[in-house]
Amino acid sequence: MKVDTMRKIDRWAGIPLCFILSVWFTLWQLLFKPKKVTAKNVLFLELSEMGSAIIADPALRYVKEQEGTQIFFAIFKKNVGSLQLLNTIDEKNLFTFCEDNLFTLVVDTFRFMWWCRKHRIDTVIDMEMFSRVSALLSRITGAVNLIGFVAYHSEGLYRGNFLTRPVIYNAHHHIAKNFMALSHTAMSQEEQLPFCKSLIKDEDIVLAQAPRDEAAIGRVQATLAGLYSDYRAGQRVVLINPNASDLLPQRRWPAEHFKVVIDSLLARYEDILVVITGAPAEFPGAQALCQSVANPRCVNSAGKFAFKDLVPLYFVADMMLTNDSGPGHFSAVTPLRSFVIFGPETPALYSSLGNSSALYLGLACSPCVSAANHRKTDCVDNRCVKDLLPELALADIYPHLDKIVSTQ
C-alpha cells in the first residue's frame, strides 16, 4: 500500500473512528469503572518505522527487566526484521500486520483482537506519534492501561482520548528519551499530570550490541569477494547507502554528491573497497551510481545481502555514509562508524544511538516534518540536503579514515 494511501485512510477513516470509539470509551469508563491493574503483560505498538524499533530498544528492555513483566510487540510485517537484530522480543510474543492492502489489514485487525486476549494484554504502549491506526488498535486490545503521546494544549493530530496515562510528547528531547518516558509511565504506581515526571539521563539510553558471528562474517566476506575478485579479508570497506524510504523521499542526498564523495575516497585511499548498499528494489539506482563512478573498487551490493546479513556486514566495514534512514539505526547495534545525512528531520530528535555523526545544515526551514504534521511536507526542493556539499561530508570522513591508516 502506498504511503499517501495509508495517510488518506488514516485521516478520513481514522478521525471519525477515533471520535466514535472515544465516545464509547468514555461511556464504558463511567458505567463499568474498570479496576486499575499493575502492568504485567505489556504490548508495544510501533508499526511503520524500522529505525524506530531500534531506537525504542532501551525502553523495551527497561520494561522487560521489571520483575513479573512480559513484553509483546506489534509491527507491520515488512518491518519485523529490525526487531530481530537484538532479539529483545521473543518470537512467540510478536504480532505482525500485513499492510499490503486494506482487506489484509482489516483481517489482521480481528486476528490482533483475539491474539491480545489470548495473551491477556493488560497494558499497551503506543509509540506512534503520526498514526490514528495505532490509537484505534490500542483501544481494541481490551487492555486497562493505555499509554501514549498527547499534545496536551499544543497543536497536534486528533487521535481520540483513549489513553488512561497520557504522556506529554517532548519535542526538545531525543525520541529515545520520549520512548523511555512511555515505559516509565507504564511501570509507575503514581498518578501524575502530566506524565512523565522522571529524570531520564543520557546513560539510561544505552543501546544493546549485537553479538559478533564469525561464520556470518565469513559468508559476508565471501559475497564481497564475489563482487570484487581482489577483495581479501581485512581490506578496508566503506559502505554507501544512497537510499531512503518512500515515506520521506526528501531525505535523499543527490546521487551526484555521493559520486563526488566516492571518487574522492577512492583517489585518496588506494586500499579501500566502496560498497553501495540497498534492497533488491533499489538495485537500479545503486547500479547507476556505481556505473557513474566507473571504478572496479566500487561495487553494487543492492539485493546481494539479506537483512540478516546487515549486522555481519557492519562488523566487516570500517565506516558508512548514509541518508537518514534505517541503516543509520541498524548499524548502531555494532561498533561501525557511521555518518548520517539529515535535512527534513533533525538529529536532535532522531540521531542514531550508535557510533555516529550527524551531517546537518540546519536551514531556517529545517526540520519541516514533525509529530504535528504527519511527517508530510510540500517541499519539492530539498535544499537542506542538496546544499550540504560533498566537501562538508568529506571534512568529517577524512579524519576517521586517516586515523585508521595511522594506527595500522
Side-chain angles (χ1 to χ4, degrees):
M1 195 184 303
K2 293 182 178 180
V3 173
D4 276 340
T5 301
M6 296 178 72
R7 283 195 179 106
K8 289 176 182 177
I9 293 173
D10 192 77
R11 179 180 181 183
W12 297 111
I15 291 176
L17 286 173
C18 281
F19 176 77
I20 292 167
L21 279 183
S22 291
V23 173
W24 176 86
F25 178 61
T26 301
L27 293 174
W28 181 76
Q29 292 276 88
L30 291 172
L31 292 173
F32 296 101
K33 295 181 173 59
K35 295 180 179 179
K36 295 180 181 180
V37 299
T38 302
K40 295 295 182 184
N41 297 318
V42 182
L43 170 67
F44 288 84
L45 274 173
E46 216 300 317
L47 302 174
S48 58
E49 281 283 344
M50 296 182 77
S52 292
I54 299 297
I55 296 175
D57 194 74
L60 269 63
R61 286 188 289 110
Y62 173 83
V63 174
K64 189 175 184 178
E65 290 165 3
Q66 306 304 308
E67 185 177 356
T69 60
Q70 187 173 192
I71 62 173
F72 301 79
F73 206 101
I75 194 170
F76 284 153
K77 187 174 182 180
K78 69 176 182 179
N79 297 329
V80 72
S82 57
L83 291 175
Q84 297 165 345
L85 294 180
L86 292 173
N87 291 317
T88 302
I89 304 292
D90 294 337
E91 193 72 27
K92 62 183 177 62
N93 291 354
L94 181 62
F95 185 92
T96 58
F97 289 91
C98 180
E99 74 286 10
D100 290 348
N101 53 64
L102 185 58
F103 175 77
T104 58
L105 196 58
V106 170
V107 170
D108 279 352
T109 298
F110 284 103
R111 285 201 311 114
F112 177 67
M113 293 172 64
W114 174 84
W115 181 85
C116 289
R117 285 155 179 79
K118 173 186 173 183
H119 291 286
R120 299 181 179 180
I121 300 298
D122 54 57
T123 302
V124 177
I125 297 178
D126 180 5
M127 295 188 291
E128 294 274 1
M129 293 166 289
F130 320 110
S131 166
R132 296 179 183 92
V133 168
S134 63
L136 293 167
L137 290 174
S138 70
R139 179 58 263 161
I140 64 174
T141 60
V144 176
N145 304 317
L146 302 177
I147 296 102
F149 294 119
V150 294
Y152 277 98
H153 298 292
S154 301
E155 294 295 327
L157 298 175
Y158 173 73
R159 302 176 74 214
N161 62 343
F162 311 136
L163 302 178
T164 60
R165 289 191 160 198
V167 177
I168 189 167
Y169 170 70
N170 193 328
H172 304 285
H173 287 174
H174 193 282
I175 190 61
K177 288 189 175 182
N178 277 284
F179 288 155
M180 187 65 83
L182 295 176
S183 290
H184 276 238
T185 299
M187 304 312 299
S188 174
Q189 299 300 314
E190 179 187 358
E191 293 298 322
Q192 300 173 346
L193 183 68
F195 286 100
C196 151
K197 298 185 185 299
S198 298
L199 173 61
I200 300 171
K201 301 177 182 177
D202 290 345
E203 52 265 35
D204 296 329
I205 310 298
V206 177
L207 190 64
Q209 294 291 284
R212 185 181 175 94
D213 185 337
E214 295 299 336
I217 287 174
R219 290 193 294 271
V220 164
Q221 290 173 330
T223 301
L224 291 175
L227 294 171
Y228 177 62
S229 59
D230 290 336
Y231 171 78
R232 297 294 180 269
Q235 180 176 2
R236 293 200 294 170
V237 173
V238 171
L239 303 180
I240 300 291
N241 174 52
N243 314 292
S245 74
D246 292 335
L247 185 65
L248 192 58
Q250 290 86 352
R251 293 182 293 189
R252 293 190 179 104
W253 209 36
E256 54 268 26
H257 286 7
F258 277 110
K259 180 183 183 306
V260 171
V261 168
I262 296 171
D263 286 338
S264 300
L265 294 180
L266 290 171
R268 185 180 178 99
Y269 307 104
E270 296 182 355
D271 63 320
I272 68 168
L273 173 65
V274 173
V275 179
I276 302 173
T277 63
E282 294 160 340
F283 180 89
Q287 185 64 14
L289 176 58
C290 189
Q291 289 175 346
S292 70
V293 173
N295 187 307
R297 286 191 290 123
C298 177
V299 297
N300 176 13
S301 73
K304 301 296 183 181
F305 293 108
F307 192 86
K308 65 179 181 179
D309 297 322
L310 290 184
V311 166
L313 176 62
Y314 297 149
F315 273 112
V316 168
D318 291 277
M319 61 145 282
M320 175 171 64
L321 175 64
T322 175
N323 290 318
D324 170 27
S325 58
H329 299 295
F330 306 150
S331 62
V333 305
T334 74
L336 180 67
R337 187 79 168 93
S338 65
F339 299 87
V340 185
I341 299 160
F342 282 87
E345 292 186 300
T346 170
L349 292 178
Y350 295 103
S351 61
S352 167
L353 297 179
N355 181 17
S356 176
S357 291
L359 305 176
Y360 181 57
L361 288 179
L363 300 186
C365 60
S366 176
C368 60
V369 297
S370 69
N373 64 12
H374 218 293
R375 298 185 76 195
K376 187 173 177 64
T377 175
D378 293 328
C379 178
V380 294
D381 183 19
N382 54 340
R383 299 284 295 276
C384 56
V385 291
K386 287 179 180 178
D387 288 356
L388 201 161
L389 300 178
E391 292 75 17
L392 298 174
L394 289 167
D396 278 7
I397 293 171
Y398 282 155
H400 170 69
L401 292 177
D402 288 345
K403 183 178 180 180
I404 295 175
V405 172
S406 64
T407 58
Q408 287 180 343

